[in-house]
Amino acid sequence: MPEIEIYVRNSGGRSLLNVYLPAGEREGFLSGLAAGEYSGEGAHLELSVLPEWITDDEERARLVASGSLPHLRIPLSAINVLPAE
C-alpha cells in the first residue's frame, strides 16, 4: 500500500488539511472516499499542535511555558467518510 501523508498546517492564520499522495494514486484515493472508506494502510496524519488548539487551560499554560508544544504523527488504518447525523 502506498504511503499517504496527511498534514494539518497553520498558514496565514488558516488551518489547512493537506494530503500528499504518490503519483497515480489520486483517483483511487478519491474513489475510496466517495465510496465511504479508503484503506489507510501506510497512511499517517501529522500535525504540530498550536496553543489555541489545546482546550485544557492548565495544560496549555504548562506547555507554552515549557516551550514544548507537541508534534504528533498518528498512523491511520482507514480514512472514513460518513454522513453527518
Side-chain angles (χ1 to χ4, degrees), residues 2-3 9 12-13 15 39 44-45 49 53-54 58 70 76 83 85:
E3 183 77 15
R9 296 285 186 242
S15 297
S39 170
H44 66 270
L45 170 67
V49 178
W53 296 347
I54 302 171
E58 290 178 15
L76 302 174
E85 295 190 20

Side-chain angles (χ1 to χ4, degrees), residues 6-82:
I6 303 169
Y7 294 95
V8 175
R9 296 285 186 242
N10 188 37
S11 177
R14 300 180 310 152
S15 297
L16 307 172
L17 179 68
N18 298 318
V19 179
Y20 297 94
L21 303 166
E25 288 296 316
R26 180 184 167 128
E27 292 306 316
F29 179 75
L30 294 175
S31 293
L33 293 181
E37 179 180 287
Y38 182 83
S39 170
E41 186 178 329
H44 66 270
L45 170 67
E46 195 163 330
L47 63 129
S48 294
V49 178
L50 297 179
E52 59 267 28
W53 296 347
I54 302 171
T55 57
D56 181 293
D57 293 336
E58 290 178 15
E59 183 67 7
R60 180 177 51 248
R62 184 185 72 75
L63 288 169
V64 169
S66 73
S68 177
L69 292 170
H71 179 86
L72 307 174
R73 187 175 196 273
I74 305 164
L76 302 174
S77 48
I79 300 167
N80 300 309
V81 177
L82 306 168

